[in-house]
Amino acid sequence: MSALELFGALLRRLGWFVVTFWAVFTLSFFLMRLSPGGPFMGEKKLPEEIRRNLDEFYNLNAPLHEQYLTTLGNVVLLNLGPSQKLKDYTVNEVIAEGFPVSMSLGVIALTLALIGGTIAGVVSAVKRNTIYDFGFMGLATLGIAIPNFVLASLAIIIFCFYLPILPAAGWGSPQQIILPAICLAAPYAAYIARLTRAGMLEVLNLDYVRTAYAKGLQPRTVIVKHALRGAILPVVSFIGPAAAGILTGSLVIERIFNVPGFGSHFIDAALQRDYPLAMGAVLVYTALLYVMNSLVDLSYSVIDPRVKLE
């Protein structure tokens, strides 16, 4: 692909990003505004005058179309304003504080999933129908079948109560990262193991791999340098949704392990009807999902030149 074709493809992706971003914003805005209740209608009733002043301060008493245009303008300026529930915090400050924590947890979990899943898939394919194959695929089936919140609960019972070697909550030390990262990575490692095994089984029977064996190359060289590159394509296409899923799926894990990430703020914003913060979270996750999928498509065309980026 030439540089001009690449630039054109990226430009088209940017145009679709704007359309997708606007559609998600519009849908989220009206769903939040049209659902019953509001940010200042909790169990503790506020005096009518105070509630009216708060509605006026946050522009909630304006007509719906005016609220929509004002919020859309703020999004374009990348300024969603103050949070309606967190005192002295703007949405940008909450994102800047919580997103790096969620991103760190997600990157560690994705790295664990890629390394563990790829190794398990390669070993299962090379040692097909052996105890290694049955063992890894059995673990992969369990990893897919067990929800991560159940796995997190079991991990806390085992490693925090019966074997008190790891902390049950918190963030900052390596010991506090181990359990949430493993619980978050487990289902994705299972999918990657199954995809890698299927890809390797298909590639190991191709002529160019047999030719490499016939030339007398070491089995490790054939697997790593020749077979794995062709078998990894389904895994690469899975990384984009997996990365987005790990970051958005960390909401529950962050809550269970009391990790001060962006996911916890997202849950609180949704429960407390904090419109600006909930909107900011939705848009951040939308942008993340779109960017990751675009990067995967780009890497796909780099790994296999026959694939055209459109």
Side-chain angles (χ1 to χ4, degrees):
M1 175 179 291
S2 67
L4 189 60
E5 290 175 334
L6 177 62
F7 179 74
L10 292 178
L11 204 59
R12 286 193 294 275
R13 288 297 176 103
L14 181 61
W16 277 112
F17 171 76
V18 173
V19 174
T20 305
F21 202 74
W22 170 78
V24 171
F25 164 78
T26 302
L27 188 61
S28 303
F29 177 86
F30 285 107
L31 282 176
M32 283 191 276
R33 290 302 198 278
L34 296 178
S35 60
F40 308 116
M41 296 181 179
E43 295 180 356
K44 184 179 179 182
K45 296 292 184 184
L46 292 174
E48 185 62 26
E49 186 176 345
I50 294 177
R51 193 177 66 81
R52 194 162 52 246
N53 290 337
L54 286 171
D55 286 345
E56 184 175 355
F57 178 78
Y58 289 107
N59 199 31
L60 296 175
N61 55 0
L64 194 59
H65 70 279
E66 187 177 323
Q67 293 183 43
Y68 173 78
L69 293 176
T70 302
T71 309
L72 182 60
N74 292 336
V75 170
V76 172
L77 296 174
L78 301 178
N79 179 18
L80 282 168
S83 165
Q84 293 171 340
K85 290 296 181 180
L86 295 175
K87 293 181 179 178
D88 302 326
Y89 269 93
T90 65
V91 174
N92 289 358
E93 288 172 342
V94 175
I95 294 173
E97 189 176 286
F99 192 69
V101 176
S102 296
M103 181 65 81
S104 302
L105 178 60
V107 169
I108 294 171
L110 185 60
T111 304
L112 289 176
L114 278 173
I115 295 174
T118 303
I119 292 175
V122 170
V123 173
S124 294
V126 175
K127 305 285 186 183
R128 187 181 182 185
N129 293 333
T130 65
I131 190 171
Y132 299 103
D133 186 18
F134 296 141
F136 281 127
M137 290 302 103
L139 288 175
T141 302
L142 289 176
I144 294 171
I146 299 176
N148 57 9
F149 62 88
V150 175
L151 185 62
S153 303
L154 293 174
I156 289 175
I157 292 173
I158 295 172
F159 295 106
C160 302
F161 293 106
Y162 285 103
L163 302 172
I165 55 177
L166 292 172
W171 180 259
S173 68
Q175 291 83 1
Q176 291 171 321
I177 299 174
I178 293 174
L179 284 184
I182 290 176
C183 294
L184 191 57
Y188 298 95
Y191 279 113
I192 291 173
R194 293 172 70 91
L195 287 172
T196 306
R197 180 182 184 274
M200 284 293 293
L201 288 176
E202 183 178 347
V203 171
L204 287 174
N205 292 320
L206 296 180
D207 290 340
Y208 76 92
V209 176
R210 292 178 179 175
T211 303
Y213 276 119
K215 287 181 177 178
L217 296 177
Q218 292 292 324
R220 179 177 298 179
T221 304
V222 176
I223 291 168
V224 174
K225 288 191 175 181
H226 297 276
L228 188 58
R229 182 170 182 174
I232 208 71
L233 287 176
V235 177
V236 172
S237 62
F238 178 69
I239 290 176
I246 279 179
L247 286 172
T248 54
S250 67
L251 311 181
V252 178
I253 294 295
E254 288 178 12
R255 201 69 169 180
I256 292 174
F257 290 100
N258 197 27
V259 175
F262 191 47
S264 298
H265 292 301
F266 188 18
I267 293 176
D268 290 337
L271 293 176
Q272 299 175 356
R273 305 293 179 85
D274 189 342
Y275 294 149
L277 185 54
M279 179 63 76
V282 169
L283 295 181
V284 166
Y285 286 130
T286 301
L288 183 69
L289 180 61
Y290 195 92
V291 169
M292 290 306 301
N293 280 329
S294 297
L295 288 176
V296 166
D297 290 345
L298 182 62
S299 64
Y300 217 91
S301 64
V302 171
I303 294 174
D304 188 349
R306 295 171 298 177
V307 178
K308 297 290 185 183
L309 185 65
E310 295 181 352

